[in-house]
Amino acid sequence: MPNDDPSPLQQIPPTFYFGLLCIVIAASIRYDCYRVLGKHFTYEVTMLKDHHLVTTGPYSIVRHPRSWMRESKFLHTAPGKLITAAWFLLYLRIIVSLLLRVETEDELLRRQFGKEWNEWERRVPWKLVPGMMIKIIGCNIHEKSPHFEQK
């Protein structure tokens, strides 16, 4: 029963791609820092026995490229807070849409397969994550929903 209407999960906004690009760039820079530092990378500030000054790769542009986002306090600025809020709202919308879709699919399958589905539900009680019960309160599926039309 294909549905030609795209779900909210299929409608990916441009901000998602922008955020993904930022993550890829940041991860690439961070990986390059680890690669260039090699054995000189440590989690603690320290000097190794045979330490030498690393001035290549990202360190040829800035002295502390790994720490820029954290140390710059960018996320504490107005644009940083706006970006953080936008990402939070986007992911909240995606999670809510996913949970509502799960309920819709369960109801559609229950109506279509009846007893067979009920037995399967008893054998496999987990909707999304094994060991975690998810119940959407107030989610009513109506007979006139386009999801229930036979195509």
Side-chain angles (χ1 to χ4, degrees):
M1 285 181 253
N3 185 352
D4 294 334
D5 297 329
S7 74
L9 294 176
Q10 294 170 328
Q11 299 171 359
I12 300 175
T15 54
F16 174 83
Y17 293 109
F18 174 73
L20 185 61
L21 178 65
C22 290
I23 290 169
V24 169
I25 290 170
S28 299
I29 292 170
R30 196 149 175 96
Y31 174 77
D32 201 31
C33 290
Y34 293 133
R35 185 187 61 76
V36 169
L37 283 175
K39 67 179 182 176
H40 293 99
F41 169 78
T42 62
Y43 286 102
E44 296 177 13
V45 177
T46 186
M47 294 297 278
L48 301 175
K49 186 184 253 186
D50 59 345
H51 212 100
H52 69 273
L53 187 61
V54 177
T55 59
T56 59
Y59 294 92
S60 67
I61 301 167
V62 294
R63 291 193 307 268
H64 305 280
R66 291 181 324 141
S67 306
W68 184 82
M69 286 295 282
R70 183 188 67 213
E71 298 301 327
S72 71
K73 306 291 188 218
F74 173 75
L75 296 178
H76 295 282
T77 66
K81 289 177 181 179
L82 185 62
I83 290 169
T84 302
W87 272 91
F88 174 78
L89 292 174
L90 172 66
Y91 280 105
L92 181 63
R93 188 186 115 205
I94 289 171
I95 289 168
V96 168
S97 296
L98 174 65
L99 294 175
L100 292 174
R101 179 185 173 99
V102 164
E103 291 296 317
T104 301
E105 287 177 356
D106 275 357
E107 187 61 28
L108 177 63
L109 293 167
R110 180 180 291 112
R111 289 181 185 183
Q112 181 69 32
F113 299 106
K115 183 180 177 187
E116 181 183 2
W117 191 91
N118 289 333
E119 290 171 4
W120 177 61
E121 181 186 30
R122 276 191 290 279
R123 285 193 318 272
V124 183
W126 318 119
K127 291 182 182 190
L128 291 171
V129 180
M132 190 167 126
M133 296 297 283
I134 298 173
K135 178 68 177 162
I136 308 300
I137 298 171
C139 180
N140 294 324
I141 308 302
H142 302 287
E143 288 290 338
K144 298 197 186 243
S145 170
H147 299 288
F148 297 120
E149 294 176 9
Q150 294 286 345
K151 301 220 177 188

